[in-house]
Amino acid sequence: MDRVNAQQTRRILDLIVGASGVVLATLLILITFSIVCWYIIGYKYVFLRRASRESARFLDAFWQSRRLDDIYQTASELSRSPISHVFRAGYIELGKLRAQDSPDTGGVRADSADLADLESIERSLSRAQTSEITRLESMVPFLATTGATAPFIGLFGTVWGIMNSFRSIGVRGQANLATVAPGIAEALIATAIGLIAAIPAVMAYNYFVRRIKVQASEMESFSKDFLNIVKRHFFK
């Protein structure tokens, strides 16, 4: 059984190596796409898993601590957490407002804050969310591009290979299985490689999009909670 599989694999490799220039170029493009996609899949899986874990740790620290300075220190240590970056953006903006309102004491007077200050903090949180979502989505669109284009690239190679097969039939003036089969097999390999590249890319893209949506939702919820806390303690 293993011997039969080895022979079949060798035949497929012989077809790939002996393919025409256009079909071979198509296969190389698809193989390159597939390699890049698998690198992105591995990298983003680890990246998003760490981001999720550190976000959970940060939220635990945030709700357990009563001092923003201590939370900021924790956020600095959890650099892979998108929520920690959102908090740091809001904390820094709050610190700037504290310095403007009370340059001598470094504190915040309850009557010094106004609606403009709150909107400024909200904008900082929103910018941080946008930046973090962009960071989370980096490289993921390539998976969608591969999933959408790889089958068509493979189909192009297939069509080209079948055209060569019919041209060979026309030159030889005869059509039998021995004449047609190698060319068609060579052509269909392009479609197969295209599907091999596209299917994992589409599945991974959908998975990562869902994970990113969860992270974005958590950032949005945290921003609202943070604004409520700031409003309650610094805005009267």
Side-chain angles (χ1 to χ4, degrees):
M1 186 69 178
D2 293 338
R3 191 173 183 179
V4 173
N5 292 334
Q7 290 177 351
Q8 291 177 347
T9 302
R10 194 179 308 113
R11 289 173 183 173
I12 293 173
L13 292 176
D14 291 339
L15 285 173
I16 294 174
V17 173
S20 62
V22 174
V23 176
L24 185 60
T26 301
L27 293 175
L28 290 175
I29 291 172
L30 292 172
I31 292 171
T32 301
F33 274 31
S34 182
I35 292 172
V36 173
C37 283
W38 280 110
Y39 167 78
I40 293 174
I41 290 170
Y43 175 80
K44 296 302 291 188
Y45 176 79
V46 174
F47 180 87
L48 291 173
R49 188 177 181 183
R50 289 178 177 175
S52 180
R53 286 182 174 181
E54 292 197 1
S55 292
R57 289 173 56 191
F58 171 77
L59 288 174
D60 290 340
F62 178 82
W63 292 114
Q64 292 175 5
S65 178
R66 294 180 177 274
R67 291 178 53 85
L68 291 181
D69 294 340
D70 295 338
I71 299 173
Y72 182 82
Q73 181 64 33
T74 302
S76 300
E77 297 171 357
L78 301 174
S79 59
R80 292 185 178 89
S81 169
I83 299 177
S84 71
H85 285 278
V86 173
F87 168 79
R88 290 170 64 184
Y91 178 87
I92 290 172
E93 185 65 24
L94 179 62
K96 291 178 181 178
L97 296 175
R98 291 171 67 180
Q100 293 174 0
D101 291 338
S102 175
D104 295 331
T105 63
V108 175
R109 300 190 305 273
D111 59 351
S112 66
D114 55 20
L115 184 59
D117 294 337
L118 186 62
E119 290 178 349
S120 178
I121 296 173
E122 187 175 5
R123 285 194 298 271
S124 296
L125 294 172
S126 179
R127 286 195 299 268
Q129 288 181 61
T130 302
S131 177
E132 289 305 304
I133 291 174
T134 300
R135 186 165 69 101
L136 292 172
E137 290 178 343
S138 64
M139 297 189 292
V140 173
F142 184 85
L143 298 177
T145 300
T146 299
T149 60
F152 293 103
I153 295 174
L155 182 61
F156 169 77
T158 296
V159 171
W160 190 273
I162 291 175
M163 286 171 56
N164 285 338
S165 296
F166 281 112
R167 186 173 59 183
S168 176
I169 293 172
V171 171
R172 295 183 183 183
Q174 58 180 353
N176 54 51
L177 187 61
T179 304
V180 177
I184 294 179
E186 169 192 315
L188 292 176
I189 287 176
T191 297
I193 298 296
L195 294 175
I196 290 173
I199 292 172
V202 172
M203 294 176 65
Y205 174 78
N206 292 331
Y207 172 76
F208 290 142
V209 166
R210 184 181 63 82
R211 292 287 299 271
I212 292 170
K213 285 182 179 179
V214 171
Q215 292 283 341
S217 178
E218 290 179 350
M219 283 189 285
E220 181 67 26
S221 298
F222 174 79
S223 296
K224 293 178 180 178
D225 292 336
F226 182 76
L227 282 173
N228 289 333
I229 291 172
V230 170
K231 186 187 301 184
R232 186 164 60 248
H233 288 84
F234 302 111
F235 289 72
K236 304 295 182 180

